[in-house]
Amino acid sequence: MRAVVFEKWKTPPTVSEVDKPTPGPGEVLLKVAGAGACHSDVAVYQDYDESMGMTQLEPSYILGHETSGWIEELGEGVTGLAKGDAFLVYGPIGCGHCAPCSRGQDTYCENVADMPYMASGLGRDGGMAEYMTVPARNLVPLGDADPYAAAPLADAGLTPYHAIKLSLPKLAGGGKTALVIGLGGLGLVAVQILKAITGATVIATDMKPEAMARAEEFGAVTVPGGEGQADRIRELTGGKGVTAVFDFVGVAPTIALAASVVARQGRLTVVGIAGGEFAWNFFKVPYEVDFTSTYWGTIEELHEVAALYRAGQISPDVEYYEMDDALEAYRKLEAGELSGRAVVTPNGRAA
Ligand code: NAD
Ligand code: ZN
């Protein structure tokens, strides 16, 4: 079968012919419907190397950590699942029995140091292939909903959902505001999730006018970058500042913007992994602001994201690519030329 393989540090992936995998005990073989290209993949193959000590991400393996597909075959001991049914793949794979894994939060597995990989598509073969193997507990049912457009939900949906859910205590009640910085794969779904599960006024910003136009269609009020941006955002909050800020870029200027507009006792979540620095001091952010980062989400939350999708309340914007064009999808992602998410469909796409 064909797959997008990350072969060497600091080297773009290639489309290669590899063996079709066999599901082990407790696993299923999934026929892939869609595999989203995430900006984190670019960081992994472009920026990381052995000096960073990320041994679990060491190549070679098949990329693709946001995947959907249909069960093709059940491995030994798997019961209660049926061939042909459609699922999302929860990517992170922990030990499965520590406290965080027991609550479905494999992202924070306590035995992570003993695991050979971080997730499907991050150290273990992922979904940019015709087939992949997945532990049965990592499958989240899609029912009758379109499995192709669903693929990005596994990360571009789950990551903002987790960040927003943790901010709900702040966003509950009337007169609350949320700011989304960066309206790409994650940010555009974040706007939809905020509209679906909170009553907050959603403010959004991006460098790209077309991304802001899309956010407006999803119900956000947009503010372009440049001179006066922070003042304009504050104005939209009635001068109080933003209740919950979500930074999906994470460079120094976006974190600085976030810190300059967040409200007293608000919350600022940095989701983008660009590594921008911010020199905190007592006077630089308003009193009692929760300033935090976040990483992916839980299996239970992915069930909740799937429920929003199945109810028609959220739907990622996608551009489809055949396997032949998978590398073009990554090139466009690197160049910032995508609107929404690039989804590779390794088995083609039924009309
Ligand atoms: P993307 O490339 O699809 O979108 C990024 C968006 O940010 C683009 O629309 C771009 O125009 C905009 N942007 C860039 N610089 C900006 C700036 N200075 N001001 C305003 N807008 C700006 O990327 P994505 O796949 O949505 O990922 C977003 C970030 O989240 C990446 O850093 C990615 O690695 C990270 N990420 C983090 C997690 C996590 O668990 N923390 C999970 C997935 C992705
Ligand atoms: Zn664990």
Side-chain angles (χ1 to χ4, degrees), residues 94-101 108-111:
C95 72
H97 52 76
C98 68
C101 284
Y108 300 144
C109 173
E110 286 168 1
N111 299 309

Side-chain angles (χ1 to χ4, degrees), residues 4 13 15 37 45 319-335 337-338 342 344:
V4 178
V15 174
Y45 67 68
E319 286 182 16
Y320 293 111
Y321 291 81
E322 300 285 324
M323 188 53 101
D324 283 336
D325 303 320
L327 303 183
E328 171 66 4
Y330 276 111
R331 188 201 63 74
K332 284 181 82 170
L333 179 64
E334 286 173 30
E337 291 171 15
L338 289 171
V344 176

Side-chain angles (χ1 to χ4, degrees), residues 6 44 47 51 57 104 180-181 231 237 292:
F6 166 41
V44 168
D47 304 340
S51 73
L57 290 180
V180 178
I181 303 173
D231 291 343
T237 67
T292 188

Side-chain angles (χ1 to χ4, degrees), residues 46-327:
Q46 212 168 60
D47 304 340
Y48 295 3
D49 63 25
E50 50 278 282
S51 73
M52 299 175 79
M54 306 246 194
T55 49
Q56 287 149 324
L57 290 180
E58 195 169 323
S60 139
Y61 51 88
I62 298 168
L63 290 178
H65 60 264
E66 35 176 61
T67 316
S68 57
W70 307 270
I71 291 183
E72 176 81 6
E73 197 184 316
L74 302 179
E76 196 192 313
V78 178
T79 54
L81 294 170
K83 190 181 161 180
D85 284 354
F87 294 87
L88 279 171
V89 176
Y90 176 74
I93 303 176
C95 72
H97 52 76
C98 68
C101 284
S102 297
R103 60 173 188 261
Q105 195 156 29
D106 291 36
T107 42
Y108 300 144
C109 173
E110 286 168 1
N111 299 309
V112 69
D114 303 328
M115 297 297 296
Y117 40 68
M118 279 172 63
S120 292
L122 292 166
R124 171 179 164 129
D125 283 341
M128 292 257 173
E130 290 165 51
Y131 297 90
M132 73 185 291
T133 60
V134 184
R137 89 184 258 277
N138 290 51
L139 295 172
V140 171
L142 278 167
D144 296 334
D146 173 10
Y148 298 101
L153 296 174
D155 183 8
L158 177 57
T159 299
Y161 186 81
H162 179 68
I164 292 164
K165 247 202 124 173
L166 291 174
S167 305
L168 283 183
K170 302 280 186 188
L171 289 170
K176 309 295 177 174
T177 51
L179 171 65
V180 178
I181 303 173
L183 300 166
L186 274 68
L188 279 178
V189 185
V191 170
Q192 296 177 62
I193 294 169
L194 283 162
K195 294 303 283 185
I197 71 170
T198 81
T201 298
V202 181
I203 307 166
T205 187
D206 196 288
M207 302 182 304
K208 294 197 281 189
E210 63 275 19
M212 290 206 289
R214 195 64 184 130
E216 281 178 20
E217 284 167 13
F218 291 131
V221 184
T222 61
V223 177
E227 190 88 3
Q229 184 183 27
D231 291 343
R232 177 75 189 116
I233 292 170
R234 286 199 150 269
E235 227 172 82
L236 288 168
T237 67
K240 289 187 285 193
V242 181
T243 316
V245 183
F246 303 92
D247 180 358
F248 291 98
V249 183
V251 294
T254 55
I255 300 173
L257 170 69
S260 74
V261 297
V262 67
R264 198 179 299 149
Q265 294 187 304
R267 186 173 167 97
L268 192 173
T269 310
V270 179
V271 185
I273 60 169
E277 296 194 359
F278 180 81
W280 186 92
N281 74 40
F282 192 89
F283 305 101
K284 234 174 161 176
V285 287
Y287 291 120
E288 296 182 20
V289 165
D290 295 345
F291 197 140
T292 188
S293 61
T294 189
Y295 173 50
W296 223 334
T298 72
I299 301 178
E300 184 182 27
E301 287 165 344
L302 189 56
H303 281 267
E304 295 171 7
V305 168
L308 287 173
Y309 177 71
R310 292 170 71 171
Q313 290 175 280
I314 62 169
S315 185
D317 277 357
V318 296
E319 286 182 16
Y320 293 111
Y321 291 81
E322 300 285 324
M323 188 53 101
D324 283 336
D325 303 320
L327 303 183

